[in-house]
Amino acid sequence: MGRKTAQIVVLLLLVLSLAACSSGNGSGAKAGNNGGKTDGGSQTPIDEASTATLEAWGKAMKERYNGTEINLAFASHPSTESFQKMTKDFEALTGIKVRWEVMEETYLKNKQLLDFTGKTGTYDVLMVDGFWMSEYGAKKVVEPLDDYIANTALTPGWFDYEDIVPAYRNGISKYDGKVYGIPTAGETRFIAYRKDLFEKYGKQPPKTMDEFLELAKFFNGKEDGLYGVSMRAQRGIHAASGLMTVMYNFGGGFIDQKTGAVTMTDPKTKQAMQFYVDLLKNAPKDVASYTHEEALSAFTTGKAAMWLDATALATRILDPSGSQVADKVAFAPTPEGPGGKASALAGWNMSISSLSKNKEAAWAFIVYMNSKEKAKDYVTGGGVPVRTSIYKDEELVAKDSSYPVQLEALNDANVLVEKGISWIPPHEKLGQILDRVGYYVSSAMSGEMTVDQASEKAQKEVEDIVG
């Protein structure tokens, strides 16, 4: 079972390369409660006035939890590195000692679940992929956080939960209507385009899928060595991921997420697949071998007029040391399709282990690291933005021109969330589904079969997989 889980995690990471016990003594997180003597702290109640500023909050936390040690299980990730840089100041402010355990993403879930099933309770704070949250919530691996968030003494106004981008709050951190994580990093997908070429030929960035295809055709071969678009499309999981980038904008899907029925032959899914196949006729000739890395390389070396992939890759597009088009690029959200607006959504959370003996100290760590007050320090240290205020910060926008468009794309991602649709369908055999869908998408791209034939074959195979 552990090996299967690890394999699924690996597959999900490829797609994205771009997801209850009570607190303390049972009442510690309730608004207005002091939490008793949990976490080794004092009996002194915490009132809102004593935590109104970061400094005052730190003093209150030190009086309560000084010397408490918390253990973390995190993935190797830029956000983790930034949080580690902030740890010394947190420890000095609160007196809470932090012990980091950082590992590759492929091992993290297994390690966390083994700790839970073995009832070891080694960890207090867990880094949790948004796509694990339903499983973790259902199994009570992590603590519900609604009471912590509502407790204005433990969670002062300077934390500002509502400032976190709605798509992340609503789409990667909840299960069964409850909050189980605080978003720490995430991504969606959007278009990068050559603004110099668009200006030269009097073109505007695409707002609809029809315009996207028309522009890809227009620029394909317009200049020597230039192609219309670059995207991931390697046979298998990357081709499935590429299709998903546009699929929901047509109203399609692999599986009806309400009924569980396979929908590969749904006209909307077939329309999306036909669009994807037609679009990539205007990509470099070797696009069928492209992962996100090759797709990015084709764009940053000036071979394509447009690119559609993960927002997390924008920094590499804008880095003049590695991108030949860094000063010639602008960005646009994923175009609207016949099915409306939609965009990808993935991300990480900080959660409290349900087995933690130091829940309030763990929450203090989460509050500090993910607060609006410290958000700019986090991002400038290499962290990935999750807050609306950061995406609108003039100084940061001046350094990364993609920020306003990322926020717009995340608003589009929230449209999908509000429809009750997870961008990556939640299914225990998801890896197999993506592999087979991607196989047939690739077969349609190569001309081995028509889109209709590919859809029919994918329908049958996915039905066999899901049983």
Side-chain angles (χ1 to χ4, degrees):
M1 181 63 69
R3 181 176 300 174
K4 180 186 288 186
T5 303
Q7 289 172 340
I8 292 173
V9 172
V10 171
L11 289 167
L12 286 175
L13 293 172
L14 288 172
V15 171
L16 300 176
S17 308
L18 230 61
C21 300
S22 61
S23 163
N25 68 352
S27 61
K30 300 292 183 183
N33 250 322
N34 66 7
K37 200 174 179 181
T38 58
D39 302 13
S42 70
Q43 294 277 2
T44 306
I46 300 175
D47 60 63
E48 294 181 34
S50 68
T51 61
T53 66
L54 179 62
E55 293 72 20
W57 173 86
K59 181 180 179 181
M61 295 300 106
K62 181 171 281 191
E63 289 175 354
R64 194 173 182 85
Y65 308 120
N66 189 40
T68 301
E69 185 175 276
I70 58 172
N71 295 288
L72 282 54
F74 274 54
S76 301
H77 192 274
S79 64
T80 299
E81 294 172 9
S82 185
F83 290 133
Q84 287 178 308
K85 294 173 187 175
M86 298 164 63
T87 298
K88 185 177 180 181
D89 288 344
F90 168 78
E91 290 179 326
L93 182 68
T94 65
I96 298 170
K97 304 300 180 184
V98 181
R99 294 188 62 181
W100 286 90
E101 188 170 341
V102 180
M103 62 203 79
E104 292 301 318
E105 297 170 5
T106 48
Y107 302 117
L108 181 65
K109 186 179 183 184
N110 276 350
K111 193 75 178 282
Q112 292 173 349
L113 290 178
L114 283 171
D115 184 67
F116 172 74
T117 56
K119 300 189 182 303
T120 309
T122 303
Y123 305 114
D124 300 293
V125 183
L126 307 179
M127 183 175 177
V128 180
D129 191 315
F131 296 111
W132 308 344
M133 197 56 77
S134 294
E135 178 183 356
Y136 277 35
K139 291 180 178 178
K140 295 181 169 44
V141 177
V142 290
E143 189 83 354
L145 301 178
D146 300 84
D147 287 341
Y148 289 89
I149 295 168
N151 186 332
T152 52
L154 293 177
T155 313
W158 48 263
F159 176 77
D160 198 350
Y161 179 68
E162 296 299 316
D163 182 53
I164 298 171
V165 172
Y168 291 135
R169 279 192 283 114
N170 299 330
I172 69 169
S173 64
K174 292 183 178 180
Y175 168 70
D176 197 25
K178 294 181 180 180
V179 177
Y180 284 89
I182 299 299
T184 61
E187 67 179 37
T188 182
R189 292 184 180 177
F190 66 172
I191 285 176
Y193 65 94
R194 288 278 301 279
K195 62 182 180 181
D196 58 328
L197 293 175
F198 275 64
E199 291 171 1
K200 180 179 178 179
Y201 293 103
K203 297 296 183 181
Q204 296 296 317
K207 293 183 177 180
T208 67
M209 285 294 174
D210 284 344
E211 291 175 0
F212 188 26
L213 180 57
E214 289 171 7
L215 286 165
K217 291 177 178 178
F218 176 83
F219 282 111
N220 193 41
K222 191 68 175 179
E223 295 187 0
D224 188 35
L226 181 67
Y227 295 92
V229 69
S230 179
M231 289 180 67
R232 62 178 78 190
Q234 187 182 82
R235 183 182 290 265
I237 198 164
H238 285 283
S241 178
L243 173 59
M244 289 168 65
T245 306
V246 300
M247 180 174 65
Y248 296 107
N249 306 69
F250 285 85
F254 300 155
I255 297 174
D256 185 313
Q257 294 185 22
K258 293 181 180 178
T259 67
V262 180
T263 54
M264 289 305 304
T265 54
D266 184 290
K268 296 174 182 177
T269 306
K270 290 167 65 174
Q271 184 182 11
M273 190 187 298
Q274 187 66 63
F275 175 88
Y276 182 62
V277 168
D278 291 343
L279 182 69
L280 293 184
K281 291 176 181 176
N282 304 286
K285 302 304 179 187
D286 58 345
V287 69
S289 67
Y290 282 11
T291 68
H292 61 282
E293 286 292 342
E294 289 81 11
L296 180 67
S297 177
F299 183 73
T300 56
T301 55
K303 295 178 181 177
M306 296 181 292
W307 164 94
L308 174 54
D309 212 301
T311 52
L313 299 171
T315 53
R316 292 171 63 182
I317 293 174
L318 294 170
D319 180 3
S321 68
S323 173
Q324 297 176 24
V325 298
D327 61 343
K328 304 178 179 67
V329 175
F331 300 89
T334 301
E336 186 172 359
K341 292 184 177 182
S343 196
L345 186 66
W348 290 97
N349 300 273
M350 277 194 201
S351 299
I352 299 176
S353 168
S354 61
L355 299 180
S356 170
K357 300 177 181 64
N358 305 297
K359 291 186 175 72
E360 284 190 6
W363 179 247
F365 177 83
I366 292 173
V367 166
Y368 178 89
M369 293 292 171
N370 298 287
S371 66
K372 183 177 181 180
E373 184 86 6
K374 301 300 295 183
K376 200 163 183 177
D377 291 343
Y378 164 65
V379 171
T380 55
V384 181
V386 294
R387 287 184 167 273
T388 300
S389 58
I390 290 296
Y391 280 115
K392 293 182 176 181
D393 184 279
E394 292 182 3
E395 181 183 355
L396 296 176
V397 170
K399 294 178 180 179
D400 189 331
S401 60
S402 73
Y403 269 21
V405 186
Q406 287 194 43
L407 184 58
E408 189 176 350
L410 284 164
N411 289 336
D412 291 347
N414 198 48
V415 171
L416 204 61
V417 172
E418 290 177 343
K419 292 179 180 179
I421 298 173
S422 173
W423 187 74
I424 293 185
H427 196 281
E428 62 180 4
K429 295 182 180 179
L430 177 61
Q432 295 178 53
I433 293 169
L434 295 175
D435 180 67
R436 299 318 295 160
V437 169
Y439 174 84
Y440 288 111
V441 170
S442 184
S443 296
M445 284 174 52
S446 67
E448 296 173 39
M449 58 184 72
T450 65
V451 165
D452 282 344
Q453 292 170 332
S455 298
E456 293 286 348
K457 290 181 178 294
Q459 176 80 18
K460 184 178 185 306
E461 286 213 26
V462 176
E463 286 177 344
D464 290 342
I465 291 169
V466 301

